mmCIF file with all atom_site columns, all heavy atoms in Angstrom:
data_model
loop_
_atom_site.group_PDB
_atom_site.id
_atom_site.type_symbol
_atom_site.label_atom_id
_atom_site.label_alt_id
_atom_site.label_comp_id
_atom_site.label_asym_id
_atom_site.label_entity_id
_atom_site.label_seq_id
_atom_site.pdbx_PDB_ins_code
_atom_site.Cartn_x
_atom_site.Cartn_y
_atom_site.Cartn_z
_atom_site.occupancy
_atom_site.B_iso_or_equiv
_atom_site.pdbx_formal_charge
_atom_site.auth_seq_id
_atom_site.auth_comp_id
_atom_site.auth_asym_id
_atom_site.auth_atom_id
_atom_site.pdbx_PDB_model_num
ATOM 1   N N   . ASP A 1 226 ? 34.494 78.500 188.101 1.00 86.00 ? 277 ASP A N   1
ATOM 2   C CA  . ASP A 1 226 ? 34.140 77.703 186.933 1.00 86.00 ? 277 ASP A CA  1
ATOM 3   C C   . ASP A 1 226 ? 32.743 78.021 186.419 1.00 86.00 ? 277 ASP A C   1
ATOM 4   O O   . ASP A 1 226 ? 32.490 77.957 185.213 1.00 86.00 ? 277 ASP A O   1
ATOM 5   C CB  . ASP A 1 226 ? 34.233 76.214 187.279 1.00 86.00 ? 277 ASP A CB  1
ATOM 6   C CG  . ASP A 1 226 ? 35.656 75.791 187.609 1.00 86.00 ? 277 ASP A CG  1
ATOM 7   O OD1 . ASP A 1 226 ? 36.597 76.379 187.033 1.00 86.00 ? 277 ASP A OD1 1
ATOM 8   O OD2 . ASP A 1 226 ? 35.835 74.886 188.439 1.00 86.00 ? 277 ASP A OD2 1
ATOM 9   N N   . GLU A 1 227 ? 31.827 78.345 187.324 1.00 88.00 ? 278 GLU A N   1
ATOM 10  C CA  . GLU A 1 227 ? 30.460 78.630 186.882 1.00 88.00 ? 278 GLU A CA  1
ATOM 11  C C   . GLU A 1 227 ? 30.426 79.840 185.947 1.00 88.00 ? 278 GLU A C   1
ATOM 12  O O   . GLU A 1 227 ? 29.741 79.837 184.914 1.00 88.00 ? 278 GLU A O   1
ATOM 13  C CB  . GLU A 1 227 ? 29.547 78.872 188.098 1.00 88.00 ? 278 GLU A CB  1
ATOM 14  C CG  . GLU A 1 227 ? 29.236 77.642 188.914 1.00 88.00 ? 278 GLU A CG  1
ATOM 15  C CD  . GLU A 1 227 ? 30.413 77.176 189.761 1.00 88.00 ? 278 GLU A CD  1
ATOM 16  O OE1 . GLU A 1 227 ? 31.366 77.966 189.940 1.00 88.00 ? 278 GLU A OE1 1
ATOM 17  O OE2 . GLU A 1 227 ? 30.388 76.017 190.214 1.00 88.00 ? 278 GLU A OE2 1
ATOM 18  N N   . VAL A 1 228 ? 31.195 80.887 186.301 1.00 90.00 ? 279 VAL A N   1
ATOM 19  C CA  . VAL A 1 228 ? 31.243 82.084 185.447 1.00 90.00 ? 279 VAL A CA  1
ATOM 20  C C   . VAL A 1 228 ? 31.927 81.751 184.124 1.00 90.00 ? 279 VAL A C   1
ATOM 21  O O   . VAL A 1 228 ? 31.503 82.211 183.051 1.00 90.00 ? 279 VAL A O   1
ATOM 22  C CB  . VAL A 1 228 ? 31.975 83.225 186.174 1.00 90.00 ? 279 VAL A CB  1
ATOM 23  C CG1 . VAL A 1 228 ? 32.208 84.406 185.229 1.00 90.00 ? 279 VAL A CG1 1
ATOM 24  C CG2 . VAL A 1 228 ? 31.175 83.672 187.389 1.00 90.00 ? 279 VAL A CG2 1
ATOM 25  N N   . LEU A 1 229 ? 32.973 80.936 184.161 1.00 91.00 ? 280 LEU A N   1
ATOM 26  C CA  . LEU A 1 229 ? 33.655 80.528 182.933 1.00 91.00 ? 280 LEU A CA  1
ATOM 27  C C   . LEU A 1 229 ? 32.696 79.804 181.999 1.00 91.00 ? 280 LEU A C   1
ATOM 28  O O   . LEU A 1 229 ? 32.624 80.114 180.796 1.00 91.00 ? 280 LEU A O   1
ATOM 29  C CB  . LEU A 1 229 ? 34.840 79.626 183.280 1.00 91.00 ? 280 LEU A CB  1
ATOM 30  C CG  . LEU A 1 229 ? 35.523 78.920 182.101 1.00 91.00 ? 280 LEU A CG  1
ATOM 31  C CD1 . LEU A 1 229 ? 36.113 79.935 181.130 1.00 91.00 ? 280 LEU A CD1 1
ATOM 32  C CD2 . LEU A 1 229 ? 36.604 77.963 182.612 1.00 91.00 ? 280 LEU A CD2 1
ATOM 33  N N   . LEU A 1 230 ? 31.938 78.848 182.509 1.00 92.00 ? 281 LEU A N   1
ATOM 34  C CA  . LEU A 1 230 ? 31.019 78.091 181.662 1.00 92.00 ? 281 LEU A CA  1
ATOM 35  C C   . LEU A 1 230 ? 29.905 78.978 181.109 1.00 92.00 ? 281 LEU A C   1
ATOM 36  O O   . LEU A 1 230 ? 29.506 78.844 179.951 1.00 92.00 ? 281 LEU A O   1
ATOM 37  C CB  . LEU A 1 230 ? 30.409 76.935 182.466 1.00 92.00 ? 281 LEU A CB  1
ATOM 38  C CG  . LEU A 1 230 ? 31.414 75.897 183.001 1.00 92.00 ? 281 LEU A CG  1
ATOM 39  C CD1 . LEU A 1 230 ? 30.680 74.813 183.783 1.00 92.00 ? 281 LEU A CD1 1
ATOM 40  C CD2 . LEU A 1 230 ? 32.226 75.287 181.864 1.00 92.00 ? 281 LEU A CD2 1
ATOM 41  N N   . GLU A 1 231 ? 29.440 79.902 181.920 1.00 93.00 ? 282 GLU A N   1
ATOM 42  C CA  . GLU A 1 231 ? 28.400 80.829 181.451 1.00 93.00 ? 282 GLU A CA  1
ATOM 43  C C   . GLU A 1 231 ? 28.935 81.715 180.335 1.00 93.00 ? 282 GLU A C   1
ATOM 44  O O   . GLU A 1 231 ? 28.231 81.974 179.339 1.00 93.00 ? 282 GLU A O   1
ATOM 45  C CB  . GLU A 1 231 ? 27.923 81.679 182.632 1.00 93.00 ? 282 GLU A CB  1
ATOM 46  C CG  . GLU A 1 231 ? 26.784 82.634 182.277 1.00 93.00 ? 282 GLU A CG  1
ATOM 47  C CD  . GLU A 1 231 ? 26.326 83.419 183.492 1.00 93.00 ? 282 GLU A CD  1
ATOM 48  O OE1 . GLU A 1 231 ? 26.466 82.915 184.624 1.00 93.00 ? 282 GLU A OE1 1
ATOM 49  O OE2 . GLU A 1 231 ? 25.822 84.549 183.295 1.00 93.00 ? 282 GLU A OE2 1
ATOM 50  N N   . THR A 1 232 ? 30.174 82.161 180.473 1.00 93.00 ? 283 THR A N   1
ATOM 51  C CA  . THR A 1 232 ? 30.796 82.984 179.429 1.00 93.00 ? 283 THR A CA  1
ATOM 52  C C   . THR A 1 232 ? 30.916 82.209 178.127 1.00 93.00 ? 283 THR A C   1
ATOM 53  O O   . THR A 1 232 ? 30.623 82.733 177.039 1.00 93.00 ? 283 THR A O   1
ATOM 54  C CB  . THR A 1 232 ? 32.182 83.454 179.894 1.00 93.00 ? 283 THR A CB  1
ATOM 55  O OG1 . THR A 1 232 ? 32.043 84.229 181.094 1.00 93.00 ? 283 THR A OG1 1
ATOM 56  C CG2 . THR A 1 232 ? 32.864 84.299 178.824 1.00 93.00 ? 283 THR A CG2 1
ATOM 57  N N   . LEU A 1 233 ? 31.348 80.958 178.216 1.00 95.00 ? 284 LEU A N   1
ATOM 58  C CA  . LEU A 1 233 ? 31.468 80.127 177.014 1.00 95.00 ? 284 LEU A CA  1
ATOM 59  C C   . LEU A 1 233 ? 30.121 79.938 176.343 1.00 95.00 ? 284 LEU A C   1
ATOM 60  O O   . LEU A 1 233 ? 30.009 79.975 175.106 1.00 95.00 ? 284 LEU A O   1
ATOM 61  C CB  . LEU A 1 233 ? 32.062 78.771 177.378 1.00 95.00 ? 284 LEU A CB  1
ATOM 62  C CG  . LEU A 1 233 ? 33.510 78.758 177.877 1.00 95.00 ? 284 LEU A CG  1
ATOM 63  C CD1 . LEU A 1 233 ? 33.874 77.378 178.395 1.00 95.00 ? 284 LEU A CD1 1
ATOM 64  C CD2 . LEU A 1 233 ? 34.476 79.171 176.771 1.00 95.00 ? 284 LEU A CD2 1
ATOM 65  N N   . ALA A 1 234 ? 29.096 79.708 177.128 1.00 95.00 ? 285 ALA A N   1
ATOM 66  C CA  . ALA A 1 234 ? 27.762 79.464 176.558 1.00 95.00 ? 285 ALA A CA  1
ATOM 67  C C   . ALA A 1 234 ? 27.258 80.660 175.773 1.00 95.00 ? 285 ALA A C   1
ATOM 68  O O   . ALA A 1 234 ? 26.564 80.505 174.760 1.00 95.00 ? 285 ALA A O   1
ATOM 69  C CB  . ALA A 1 234 ? 26.783 79.116 177.676 1.00 95.00 ? 285 ALA A CB  1
ATOM 70  N N   . ASP A 1 235 ? 27.619 81.874 176.207 1.00 94.00 ? 286 ASP A N   1
ATOM 71  C CA  . ASP A 1 235 ? 27.107 83.086 175.570 1.00 94.00 ? 286 ASP A CA  1
ATOM 72  C C   . ASP A 1 235 ? 28.017 83.627 174.473 1.00 94.00 ? 286 ASP A C   1
ATOM 73  O O   . ASP A 1 235 ? 27.676 84.613 173.818 1.00 94.00 ? 286 ASP A O   1
ATOM 74  C CB  . ASP A 1 235 ? 26.910 84.183 176.629 1.00 94.00 ? 286 ASP A CB  1
ATOM 75  C CG  . ASP A 1 235 ? 25.815 83.839 177.629 1.00 94.00 ? 286 ASP A CG  1
ATOM 76  O OD1 . ASP A 1 235 ? 24.951 83.013 177.278 1.00 94.00 ? 286 ASP A OD1 1
ATOM 77  O OD2 . ASP A 1 235 ? 25.855 84.375 178.752 1.00 94.00 ? 286 ASP A OD2 1
ATOM 78  N N   . SER A 1 236 ? 29.189 82.998 174.288 1.00 93.00 ? 287 SER A N   1
ATOM 79  C CA  . SER A 1 236 ? 30.180 83.569 173.384 1.00 93.00 ? 287 SER A CA  1
ATOM 80  C C   . SER A 1 236 ? 30.287 82.780 172.083 1.00 93.00 ? 287 SER A C   1
ATOM 81  O O   . SER A 1 236 ? 30.157 81.557 172.058 1.00 93.00 ? 287 SER A O   1
ATOM 82  C CB  . SER A 1 236 ? 31.553 83.586 174.073 1.00 93.00 ? 287 SER A CB  1
ATOM 83  O OG  . SER A 1 236 ? 32.548 84.042 173.181 1.00 93.00 ? 287 SER A OG  1
ATOM 84  N N   . SER A 1 237 ? 30.564 83.505 170.998 1.00 94.00 ? 288 SER A N   1
ATOM 85  C CA  . SER A 1 237 ? 30.792 82.867 169.704 1.00 94.00 ? 288 SER A CA  1
ATOM 86  C C   . SER A 1 237 ? 32.270 82.874 169.324 1.00 94.00 ? 288 SER A C   1
ATOM 87  O O   . SER A 1 237 ? 32.629 82.423 168.236 1.00 94.00 ? 288 SER A O   1
ATOM 88  C CB  . SER A 1 237 ? 29.998 83.601 168.609 1.00 94.00 ? 288 SER A CB  1
ATOM 89  O OG  . SER A 1 237 ? 30.420 84.953 168.518 1.00 94.00 ? 288 SER A OG  1
ATOM 90  N N   . ASP A 1 238 ? 33.125 83.365 170.229 1.00 93.00 ? 289 ASP A N   1
ATOM 91  C CA  . ASP A 1 238 ? 34.540 83.426 169.858 1.00 93.00 ? 289 ASP A CA  1
ATOM 92  C C   . ASP A 1 238 ? 35.495 83.019 170.990 1.00 93.00 ? 289 ASP A C   1
ATOM 93  O O   . ASP A 1 238 ? 36.708 83.108 170.827 1.00 93.00 ? 289 ASP A O   1
ATOM 94  C CB  . ASP A 1 238 ? 34.912 84.835 169.378 1.00 93.00 ? 289 ASP A CB  1
ATOM 95  C CG  . ASP A 1 238 ? 34.692 85.893 170.442 1.00 93.00 ? 289 ASP A CG  1
ATOM 96  O OD1 . ASP A 1 238 ? 34.231 85.550 171.546 1.00 93.00 ? 289 ASP A OD1 1
ATOM 97  O OD2 . ASP A 1 238 ? 34.998 87.067 170.168 1.00 93.00 ? 289 ASP A OD2 1
ATOM 98  N N   . VAL A 1 239 ? 34.977 82.583 172.120 1.00 95.00 ? 290 VAL A N   1
ATOM 99  C CA  . VAL A 1 239 ? 35.825 82.188 173.239 1.00 95.00 ? 290 VAL A CA  1
ATOM 100 C C   . VAL A 1 239 ? 35.706 80.689 173.465 1.00 95.00 ? 290 VAL A C   1
ATOM 101 O O   . VAL A 1 239 ? 34.606 80.127 173.460 1.00 95.00 ? 290 VAL A O   1
ATOM 102 C CB  . VAL A 1 239 ? 35.453 82.941 174.534 1.00 95.00 ? 290 VAL A CB  1
ATOM 103 C CG1 . VAL A 1 239 ? 36.319 82.450 175.704 1.00 95.00 ? 290 VAL A CG1 1
ATOM 104 C CG2 . VAL A 1 239 ? 35.623 84.435 174.349 1.00 95.00 ? 290 VAL A CG2 1
ATOM 105 N N   . ALA A 1 240 ? 36.847 80.033 173.653 1.00 97.00 ? 291 ALA A N   1
ATOM 106 C CA  . ALA A 1 240 ? 36.900 78.608 173.990 1.00 97.00 ? 291 ALA A CA  1
ATOM 107 C C   . ALA A 1 240 ? 37.791 78.433 175.205 1.00 97.00 ? 291 ALA A C   1
ATOM 108 O O   . ALA A 1 240 ? 38.502 79.358 175.616 1.00 97.00 ? 291 ALA A O   1
ATOM 109 C CB  . ALA A 1 240 ? 37.447 77.798 172.813 1.00 97.00 ? 291 ALA A CB  1
ATOM 110 N N   . THR A 1 241 ? 37.773 77.268 175.798 1.00 96.00 ? 292 THR A N   1
ATOM 111 C CA  . THR A 1 241 ? 38.705 76.966 176.893 1.00 96.00 ? 292 THR A CA  1
ATOM 112 C C   . THR A 1 241 ? 39.161 75.528 176.771 1.00 96.00 ? 292 THR A C   1
ATOM 113 O O   . THR A 1 241 ? 38.631 74.748 175.968 1.00 96.00 ? 292 THR A O   1
ATOM 114 C CB  . THR A 1 241 ? 38.080 77.235 178.273 1.00 96.00 ? 292 THR A CB  1
ATOM 115 O OG1 . THR A 1 241 ? 39.119 77.314 179.253 1.00 96.00 ? 292 THR A OG1 1
ATOM 116 C CG2 . THR A 1 241 ? 37.113 76.129 178.677 1.00 96.00 ? 292 THR A CG2 1
ATOM 117 N N   . LEU A 1 242 ? 40.154 75.169 177.559 1.00 96.00 ? 293 LEU A N   1
ATOM 118 C CA  . LEU A 1 242 ? 40.681 73.813 177.596 1.00 96.00 ? 293 LEU A CA  1
ATOM 119 C C   . LEU A 1 242 ? 40.451 73.217 178.981 1.00 96.00 ? 293 LEU A C   1
ATOM 120 O O   . LEU A 1 242 ? 40.684 73.894 179.993 1.00 96.00 ? 293 LEU A O   1
ATOM 121 C CB  . LEU A 1 242 ? 42.184 73.804 177.287 1.00 96.00 ? 293 LEU A CB  1
ATOM 122 C CG  . LEU A 1 242 ? 42.585 74.230 175.871 1.00 96.00 ? 293 LEU A CG  1
ATOM 123 C CD1 . LEU A 1 242 ? 44.098 74.478 175.806 1.00 96.00 ? 293 LEU A CD1 1
ATOM 124 C CD2 . LEU A 1 242 ? 42.184 73.172 174.847 1.00 96.00 ? 293 LEU A CD2 1
ATOM 125 N N   . ILE A 1 243 ? 39.989 71.985 179.025 1.00 95.00 ? 294 ILE A N   1
ATOM 126 C CA  . ILE A 1 243 ? 39.855 71.280 180.298 1.00 95.00 ? 294 ILE A CA  1
ATOM 127 C C   . ILE A 1 243 ? 40.389 69.862 180.115 1.00 95.00 ? 294 ILE A C   1
ATOM 128 O O   . ILE A 1 243 ? 40.532 69.371 178.986 1.00 95.00 ? 294 ILE A O   1
ATOM 129 C CB  . ILE A 1 243 ? 38.400 71.230 180.803 1.00 95.00 ? 294 ILE A CB  1
ATOM 130 C CG1 . ILE A 1 243 ? 37.528 70.397 179.859 1.00 95.00 ? 294 ILE A CG1 1
ATOM 131 C CG2 . ILE A 1 243 ? 37.836 72.613 180.985 1.00 95.00 ? 294 ILE A CG2 1
ATOM 132 C CD1 . ILE A 1 243 ? 36.138 70.144 180.420 1.00 95.00 ? 294 ILE A CD1 1
#
Side-chain angles (χ1 to χ4, degrees):
D277 295 328
E278 289 74 15
V279 172
L280 170 62
L281 299 180
E282 183 178 332
T283 300
L284 294 171
D286 294 338
S287 176
S288 61
D289 61 359
V290 177
T292 197
L293 294 167
I294 65 171

